[in-house]
Amino acid sequence: MKILRISSNMMRYNFLRSLNNSMETQNKLQEQLSDGKSLHRPSDDPVKAVRNLTFKTSLTLNEQYTQNLQDAKSWMENTDGVMSDLSSVMIKIKELVVSADDTKPTDALNTIGTQIDGLINQMVSLGNTKIGDRYLFGGQNDSTQPFVRKTIKDPDSDLTREVIVYNGDDSKISMPIQAGAVNPTQDSVNLTGSEVFGPTETIYGQQTMSVLNHLLEIKNELAKTSSVTQTNANGGIGTVGGKYTGAGYKNFDVRIDNVDGTGRVTAASYYDSDNNTWKSTAVDSSNNPAVITLTDGVTFNIADKQESLPANPGNHVGNVYSFRVPQEAFTVAKNNALGGDAAITGTLSSTGTIPNNIRIDSVDSSGQVLTASYSSDGGNTWTSLSNYDVTQTNSSGSPATVTGNRTAGSTYTVNITGVDATGKITGATVAAGAIPSGLTVSAITYDVATNSTTGSTSTVANIQLSTGEVLHIPTNLANTTGDAYTVTAKANDFIKTTGTATVINLPNGSNISGLTMTINADSDNKVNDTYSFDLPQGKGPDVNWLSSVATQYVDDDHNMQLKAQTNLGARMSMYEMAYNMLENQNVVINTDIANTEDIDLAKAITDFNTAQNIYRSALAVGGKIMPTSLVDFLS
């Protein structure tokens, strides 16, 4: 049997080691109880430490994205509030513009202009709204006031213009809300000046905004006391001459380039807005006033005014005269003096080309115009006015035209069921699926015309439909049974009969121009009678322009702002959803961190008390367990 010898030093060593382990356990438990955490260094639990570090990194990123979202929401909520205020201002401006009609005297129109002037200042103030020390609509140049209202001068003339200069840029302000590269479209929180106030326009080298330019133009129009304004109030009187032959309306600026010793203008230019430059033009200075030739049939007269400084500035180089054409009521000329009278009403809503000649193509027995054509080039080319588009399956067959008042939304197909040996249509039906339903062919009649020169005749089949329209198809040997004609109503009424007159909505391309010609029924109305007119010019604030173009300006600009606000609202909703999602993620991550590093407090307290009791008991019995040393015996 092997006997193990245990020395007193070994017993002492083992006792002290066990005592230190007990103290270490107490210390570890006490450290955990002091802050409730089980991890204080990686060595406490390497696996949990790595996991905890990952959770805390995710939490830090989430908290940064959450803060970005809070900042973004604050920016967008402020922007949305300003956009609502801008919308209210635009609605008020529209109400004022609509109220500026021809029933009001000049001083009342001037007062409306003053009101709009105040609203423009309000818009500028809203455009300069700040959040903290940053401007909402300045783009990334948000430390500089973006909108400044001031008067600037043309470097090449005395012409001055009030503008609102834009000092911002079109850059987006982005606040990342997720990992990865910044997406300016998705992560942007701001609306730039051009999104709210329209595309930029350069005026005399300064960057301006189209919406604000439109409002200033409206305000200036309402402030007019005459049709012609001039930079030098003491200069010679300017008057408009000639006949305006252009399309829609046009603004003119005329500059004096030279004056002789008598104050007569001998050289002049006009401003070409398309190319942003002044163009020299012919001047007839043989008489007083001097006659300046402009474009589109317009001339301008400037009376002599000798300069005698300083009391009488008179005419001098750089003076500018500004006016717009047309402004007066329309006058209509007719080639058949006995034909029905015609008048033009409405307001022109576009600068596009519109007709200036109408030709009668057919009349009924009462002299009411049934069909007509229009020309925009003085009668060189003619285009038939029709309320319907017609397509046909047989390209060799006769083309068809449709007369009669338009039935909105109608579309149908007429099938040819009978053709005689000469190509004359003898039978037709309406195909199934017609709109309106129940449409039928009620009768077929024929018009026969004889050529006075050759004596030959031509026949047109008139297929009368139950809704009142008539499909006209000339006789043609290429016409065959089975031909089909599909008729579709246009979006607008271009010609309409009332029984006593024919109303023609003058076209502007495929749309209506806003002008209407009414030709009275008259037994003397004849085929090929023509009616012609010129777009006029006149005096004072242009109420026609205000009721058409200016109103359209405000409508379009307001719609643009509403669209920008709608897009902003969509982004706000997305950011709100993202914010709620990140808040939920923060809760989940914090729970994960707590599960990883937090202690079971009750268990830790119990373990600590147990360790403490064991330690104290060990101290109490330690002296009895350890053997007495030689030193203790000798002492």
Side-chain angles (χ1 to χ4, degrees):
M1 179 178 177
K2 186 177 180 180
I3 299 175
L4 180 65
R5 180 177 179 274
I6 300 175
S7 68
S8 60
N9 283 339
M10 183 181 294
M11 292 178 63
R12 190 182 301 111
Y13 172 78
N14 288 335
F15 171 73
L16 290 175
R17 185 179 64 181
S18 298
L19 198 63
N20 284 335
N21 288 340
S22 177
M23 290 181 67
E24 184 179 353
T25 299
Q26 288 184 76
N27 181 64
K28 184 177 181 180
L29 289 169
Q30 189 174 31
E31 186 180 38
Q32 291 177 351
L33 286 168
S34 67
D35 60 6
K37 305 298 181 184
S38 63
L39 298 175
H40 295 90
R41 58 195 63 82
S43 60
D44 290 341
D45 189 330
V47 174
K48 282 188 175 182
V50 171
R51 187 183 305 150
N52 192 56
L53 182 61
T54 302
F55 288 150
K56 287 189 174 181
T57 301
S58 297
L59 182 63
T60 300
L61 287 174
N62 260 36
E63 287 175 342
Q64 181 60 59
Y65 292 144
T66 303
Q67 182 60 51
N68 289 351
L69 281 165
Q70 288 178 326
D71 294 342
K73 286 170 58 183
S74 175
W75 189 289
M76 288 190 285
E77 285 168 359
N78 278 274
T79 302
D80 187 58
V82 173
M83 293 300 294
S84 296
D85 292 339
L86 283 172
S87 181
S88 298
V89 173
M90 291 296 285
I91 291 171
K92 180 61 178 176
I93 289 175
K94 182 179 179 181
E95 291 173 353
L96 291 171
V97 173
V98 170
S99 71
D101 54 33
D102 55 6
T103 65
K104 291 181 174 60
T106 299
D107 57 349
L109 297 176
N110 295 159
T111 300
I112 293 174
T114 301
Q115 290 178 272
I116 290 179
D117 186 54
L119 292 172
I120 293 172
N121 284 334
Q122 189 174 339
M123 290 192 74
V124 172
S125 177
L126 290 169
N128 287 328
T129 300
K130 298 171 73 175
I131 177 170
D133 59 351
R134 304 173 71 184
Y135 289 95
L136 286 179
F137 302 113
Q140 289 195 5
N141 190 23
D142 57 7
S143 61
T144 303
Q145 180 176 319
F147 297 99
V148 179
R149 185 174 182 177
K150 63 182 180 180
T151 300
I152 58 178
K153 183 180 180 299
D154 176 16
D156 298 318
S157 73
D158 289 344
L159 189 64
T160 59
R161 184 165 174 179
E162 185 181 26
V163 297
I164 298 167
V165 175
Y166 180 59
N167 297 314
D169 58 39
D170 283 336
S171 300
K172 290 289 189 178
I173 296 175
S174 298
M175 295 183 182
I177 60 172
Q178 62 183 4
V182 173
N183 184 334
T185 301
Q186 175 179 295
D187 300 330
S188 64
V189 301
N190 67 317
L191 293 177
T192 63
S194 60
E195 289 178 303
V196 179
F197 297 101
T200 58
E201 298 176 342
T202 302
I203 299 176
Y204 305 156
Q206 299 280 351
Q207 182 176 247
T208 65
M209 295 293 185
S210 63
V211 172
L212 299 172
N213 290 340
H214 290 162
L215 297 180
L216 288 171
E217 186 178 2
I218 293 169
K219 184 268 297 184
N220 292 336
E221 184 63 38
L222 287 162
K224 285 182 179 179
T225 56
S226 65
S227 60
V228 179
T229 59
Q230 54 195 82
T231 56
N232 177 12
N234 294 310
I237 299 299
T239 56
V240 180
K243 286 187 177 181
Y244 179 57
T245 59
Y249 66 91
K250 188 168 186 176
N251 295 311
F252 282 98
D253 294 313
V254 181
R255 181 186 68 188
I256 296 177
D257 291 341
N258 194 53
V259 181
D260 67 15
T262 67
R264 181 167 299 173
V265 176
T266 59
S269 300
Y270 68 91
Y271 190 72
D272 179 1
S273 58
D274 292 333
N275 297 298
N276 294 319
T277 186
W278 291 92
K279 283 189 174 181
S280 296
T281 188
V283 178
D284 180 1
S285 56
S286 58
N287 295 295
N288 180 24
V291 180
I292 301 167
T293 300
L294 302 173
T295 60
D296 298 313
V298 179
T299 62
F300 191 69
N301 312 313
I302 301 179
D304 294 356
K305 191 69 175 291
Q306 191 170 15
E307 191 170 23
S308 176
L309 293 173
N312 177 22
N315 290 334
H316 63 81
V317 173
N319 287 176
V320 176
Y321 296 77
S322 302
F323 60 94
R324 179 192 292 115
V325 291
Q327 291 178 359
E328 286 179 346
F330 290 85
T331 57
V332 180
K334 54 184 179 181
N335 70 337
N336 177 8
L338 299 176
D341 291 332
I344 293 180
T345 57
T347 55
L348 193 62
S349 58
S350 171
T351 60
T353 300
I354 65 166
N356 51 22
N357 289 275
I358 296 294
R359 183 187 68 193
I360 296 176
D361 291 340
S362 65
V363 295
D364 64 13
S365 57
S366 69
Q368 182 175 231
V369 176
L370 296 179
T371 59
S373 297
Y374 69 90
S375 173
S376 301
D377 57 9
N380 291 323
T381 57
W382 295 91
T383 303
S384 177
L385 281 164
S386 175
N387 296 325
Y388 295 89
D389 292 319
V390 182
T391 59
Q392 60 194 82
T393 57
N394 179 8
S395 59
S396 299
S398 292
T401 58
V402 179
T403 59
N405 294 339
R406 182 179 69 101
T407 302
S410 66
T411 179
Y412 52 88
T413 298
V414 175
N415 294 324
I416 305 304
T417 59
V419 181
D420 69 11
T422 66
K424 183 174 73 173
I425 306 297
T426 59
T429 60
V430 177
I435 301 175
S437 60
L439 183 65
T440 60
V441 174
S442 57
I444 300 179
T445 62
Y446 301 95
D447 291 332
V448 179
T450 301
N451 188 306
S452 58
T453 303
T454 64
S456 61
T457 61
S458 59
T459 304
V460 176
N462 305 312
I463 303 173
Q464 299 176 10
L465 302 173
S466 55
T467 51
E469 296 108 37
V470 180
L471 191 67
H472 307 275
I473 305 176
T475 295
N476 186 338
L477 288 173
N479 292 337
T480 62
T481 299
D483 288 355
Y485 294 84
T486 299
V487 180
T488 305
K490 293 181 178 179
N492 299 294
D493 285 309
F494 287 101
I495 184 167
K496 182 177 182 179
T497 56
T498 65
T500 59
T502 300
V503 179
I504 297 172
N505 285 313
L506 299 175
N508 173 23
S510 60
N511 299 313
I512 57 177
S513 66
L515 298 178
T516 299
M517 175 182 281
T518 302
I519 303 176
N520 292 333
D522 192 294
S523 58
D524 289 315
N525 282 340
K526 300 290 186 293
V527 173
N528 291 329
D529 284 357
T530 58
Y531 294 82
S532 59
F533 59 91
D534 291 315
L535 301 183
Q537 60 208 32
K539 304 173 182 178
D542 188 349
V543 292
N544 288 335
W545 182 87
L546 289 166
S547 65
S548 56
V549 178
T551 303
Q552 193 65 48
Y553 275 165
V554 179
D555 276 341
D556 291 346
D557 293 343
H558 188 209
N559 288 338
M560 179 194 68
Q561 291 177 343
L562 291 176
K563 181 179 179 181
Q565 188 176 13
T566 300
N567 292 336
L568 177 69
R571 289 212 303 275
M572 288 175 65
S573 297
M574 181 194 72
Y575 272 55
E576 184 67 35
M577 291 174 60
Y579 179 80
N580 293 333
M581 180 188 70
L582 287 179
E583 284 286 281
N584 292 335
Q585 287 182 353
N586 285 343
V587 172
V588 171
I589 295 172
N590 278 314
T591 300
D592 290 338
I593 292 174
N595 291 337
T596 303
E597 66 177 15
D598 289 357
I599 62 172
D600 183 338
L601 190 60
K603 182 177 181 303
I605 292 173
T606 300
D607 291 346
F608 179 76
N609 289 334
T610 301
Q612 193 174 44
N613 290 334
I614 292 173
Y615 178 74
R616 288 174 179 172
S617 298
L619 287 177
V621 302
K624 298 177 181 180
I625 294 175
M626 292 183 65
T628 306
S629 67
L630 180 62
V631 175
D632 293 330
F633 178 78
L634 293 174
S635 63

